[in-house]
Amino acid sequence: MDTITETQIKSFSSEWWDTFLQENENFTTTKVFKNVITSEDIVFLNKEIIKIIQELYALKTNKYGFRVYLDGKLQNNDFMTNLFEKHIPFENENITEYFDRVFSDKKFGMIINHTEKFSEDLAHNILLKIQPLLDKVGIPLTGLSAHILIGNYGWTPLGIHQDTRGENVIHFHLGPGPKIMYNWNEEDYKELTGKKDNNKDVEPLLPYAESYPFETGDLYYMPWNKYHIGFSDQFSVGLTIWFNNPTKRSFTTAILDALHLQHLNEDDEILSPNKDKDIDLTFENIKSVLNLNENLRGLTFIDLLKYLHKEYKLAILSNGGWASIPVTLTDKIKYEIDNYEILDNKKIITPYPFKTFYEKIDDELVIFARGYKVKIRYHDELINIIDKLNQNKEELVTDLLSNLIVDWPVEAGLYFLSLLYDKRAINIVETNQLK
């Protein structure tokens, strides 16, 4: 069979992904695919990564798994604070120039997790590339995530390790330097080391590894069950897309976490010991924290879990499969939802492949838009508006609202669209939306 490099199949087309699945034996075999990413995409993605770095520096946070290593050592908060305050990328500085300036001749590594949250353009660009694959194999149950590895660190600072069970990775290599990944099968590695994780004694084990060198524009795929380490002694950038396929237990845990995140009130009152051993009284404290409406309170535990599962799934589907929700315009540019006049007489679109999901609960319409849950008073016409937007075609706001404003004031319709706009579920076509 011809390999991808020997055919003229367009990168990331449906046919290309067919070959991808054939050559990695349906996600089970490590494989390098040569000359997949165009030079234009490499320039674009590197620019977006610089923007992500600028945003994280502005937030001054490592909350999202933002880490820097020097000579293989993880840097502390003082180093990160100095980086945030004194080493912001200059205007129009490209990614190579920036890291040459800040780290000069140092051996360094930078890891940025969940970058789909911080760049709409990067998230959309990658999603369009992998959508034909998602159409074939489905969206992983706990979603997709995008992570960035930058540096000239030599051996991966984490040492030889195995990724989380079920989480397969696709690595887009943006260069400019090359990289080599070394793989060990589970059983072989266990026999050699006793299954030692984060093993930094690499050289003695190299004769037993399979090596996978790749360069700028190549794509590297690796299944979760390989012990592995990378070597990159020249500056390079890698964008990795993770297919987060959970175990049954970890998926159930994710659903239960949703109960904690969405349905528990903030209450930091300290509880005193229960001298009377009154079990019912103790449980009243739990009930007081639960933020559940009467319908949910009346459900059995299994039915409540089913409800949480449905909401969890709709949130990920509405975000195109991405696990992390985007930063709202309110948080990003201080957009005010009440400033809905910005949408009046405009043309808007829900960009492909995103969709907005909804369900009617009593007199409310519960909407899932880019992973966010929004509630609004129900009207049949709101469903018609969402259905039209879900066709991923340009729509005039005046046309969308024409039937709704028979019953509701036009301001109510604009406010509804403003909610979607804030959550990044729609774009204004005629103006450049701030990214």
Side-chain angles (χ1 to χ4, degrees):
M1 181 183 71
D2 289 345
T3 65
I4 289 177
T5 55
E6 294 170 339
T7 67
Q8 300 302 313
I9 298 174
K10 183 181 179 181
S11 295
F12 308 118
S13 65
S14 179
E15 294 79 9
W16 189 90
W17 286 113
D18 283 335
T19 308
F20 170 88
L21 292 170
Q22 290 170 13
E23 295 198 9
N24 67 25
E25 299 180 69
N26 197 27
F27 284 110
T28 62
T29 303
T30 303
K31 180 73 179 181
V32 174
F33 302 91
K34 302 294 293 181
N35 301 314
V36 175
I37 313 161
T38 67
S39 57
E40 292 80 10
D41 272 332
I42 290 168
V43 170
F44 168 78
L45 292 170
N46 276 325
K47 284 182 178 179
E48 288 305 306
I49 291 169
I50 278 287
K51 292 178 184 177
I52 290 168
I53 291 170
Q54 289 172 327
E55 180 152 347
L56 287 169
Y57 284 17
L59 292 171
K60 294 182 172 61
T61 182
N62 55 7
K63 175 181 176 183
Y64 301 99
F66 184 21
R67 290 162 283 170
V68 174
Y69 296 82
L70 288 180
D71 295 322
K73 295 181 180 178
L74 180 64
Q75 298 302 291
N76 60 23
N77 287 337
D78 290 339
F79 176 91
M80 298 301 288
T81 298
N82 182 67
L83 191 68
F84 297 150
E85 294 178 352
K86 298 182 180 179
H87 297 289
I88 300 169
F90 296 147
E91 188 76 19
N92 298 321
E93 187 173 35
N94 70 39
I95 199 162
T96 303
E97 292 167 344
Y98 171 71
F99 284 101
D100 279 346
R101 174 171 64 83
V102 174
F103 293 99
S104 59
D105 59 350
K106 297 182 179 69
K107 287 292 183 182
F108 77 96
M110 179 180 284
I111 299 174
I112 311 173
N113 290 337
H114 298 286
T115 53
E116 71 272 16
K117 184 177 186 66
F118 300 102
S119 171
E120 276 293 279
D121 285 344
L122 181 147
H124 192 223
N125 179 282
I126 294 298
L127 196 56
L128 289 176
K129 287 178 169 52
I130 66 174
Q131 188 59 44
L133 176 62
L134 299 181
D135 290 340
K136 297 175 189 298
V137 301
I139 293 172
L141 290 181
T142 49
L144 305 156
S145 56
H147 310 269
I148 296 167
L149 301 97
I150 304 171
N152 60 350
Y153 41 79
W155 296 113
T156 303
L158 302 177
I160 301 173
H161 63 284
Q162 187 182 56
D163 294 325
T164 302
R165 185 175 178 84
E167 296 187 355
N168 302 318
V169 63
I170 297 176
H171 177 115
F172 291 70
H173 198 65
L174 308 181
K179 187 169 186 173
I180 304 175
M181 291 296 298
Y182 294 90
N183 283 196
W184 291 263
N185 289 325
E186 271 188 299
E187 290 304 315
D188 294 341
Y189 188 77
K190 183 177 180 180
E191 186 175 329
L192 288 165
T193 69
K195 214 172 182 179
K196 182 180 179 181
D197 286 316
N198 303 113
N199 186 356
K200 298 185 179 182
D201 188 18
V202 178
E203 280 79 3
L205 296 171
L206 291 180
Y208 307 97
E210 293 180 311
S211 64
Y212 297 91
F214 47 88
E215 301 174 315
T216 304
D218 294 345
L219 185 144
Y220 166 79
Y221 169 77
M222 186 184 69
W224 69 269
N225 59 354
K226 300 292 185 182
Y227 277 87
H228 61 279
I229 193 169
F231 184 78
S232 181
D233 63 346
Q234 299 178 44
F235 173 74
S236 70
V237 181
L239 171 63
T240 59
I241 309 302
W242 292 77
F243 281 63
N244 301 316
N245 300 306
T247 63
K248 290 181 179 180
R249 181 182 177 87
S250 62
F251 183 49
T252 305
T253 300
I255 304 302
L256 291 172
D257 285 345
L259 176 64
H260 168 252
L261 293 171
Q262 297 183 44
H263 298 287
L264 294 188
N265 295 318
E266 292 291 338
D267 191 335
D268 293 329
E269 179 185 352
I270 296 174
L271 299 175
S272 300
N274 189 340
K275 293 186 296 183
D276 299 326
K277 300 182 177 63
D278 188 333
I279 295 174
D280 290 339
L281 179 61
T282 303
F283 184 69
E284 287 301 314
N285 292 305
I286 295 175
K287 286 175 63 178
S288 70
V289 178
L290 288 174
N291 180 18
L292 299 172
N293 62 35
E294 289 303 315
N295 290 336
L296 295 182
R297 282 176 178 268
L299 295 177
T300 66
F301 176 75
I302 293 299
D303 284 340
L304 178 59
L305 194 61
K306 185 177 181 181
Y307 171 83
L308 294 171
H309 167 263
K310 181 180 180 180
E311 287 206 328
Y312 186 93
K313 289 285 292 179
L314 291 178
I316 285 182
L317 291 172
S318 71
N319 202 25
W322 289 120
S324 293
I325 55 179
V327 178
T328 64
L329 291 179
T330 297
D331 290 336
K332 191 171 182 68
I333 61 170
K334 307 305 179 187
Y335 175 73
E336 295 182 7
I337 295 173
D338 288 336
N339 185 28
Y340 45 72
E341 293 87 355
I342 191 174
L343 292 157
D344 198 14
N345 294 314
K346 292 297 195 302
K347 190 180 291 184
I348 59 175
I349 189 171
T350 295
Y352 176 82
F354 297 112
K355 306 284 184 186
T356 296
F357 292 79
Y358 56 82
E359 59 178 340
K360 183 180 184 294
I361 300 180
D362 297 328
D363 59 350
E364 285 187 324
L365 185 64
V366 181
I367 301 164
F368 297 88
R370 294 300 307 277
Y372 289 94
K373 181 181 176 181
V374 177
K375 295 180 180 180
I376 194 168
R377 184 159 61 93
Y378 181 81
H379 192 291
D380 286 341
E381 192 57 33
L382 293 178
I383 289 178
N384 292 331
I385 291 171
I386 294 173
D387 287 343
K388 288 179 182 177
L389 289 170
N390 280 345
Q391 295 177 23
N392 305 113
K393 296 178 181 177
E394 295 179 4
E395 300 283 352
L396 285 169
V397 168
T398 50
D399 292 342
L400 280 175
L401 300 182
S402 60
N403 292 330
L404 181 67
I405 61 177
V406 172
D407 297 325
W408 284 9
V410 66
E411 291 80 7
L414 290 172
Y415 180 81
F416 167 67
L417 294 178
S418 187
L419 285 171
L420 298 181
Y421 182 58
D422 176 58
K423 304 300 184 287
R424 319 302 283 266
I426 58 174
N427 292 341
I428 296 175
V429 175
E430 297 174 340
T431 60
N432 291 324
Q433 183 182 0
L434 294 177
K435 304 292 186 200

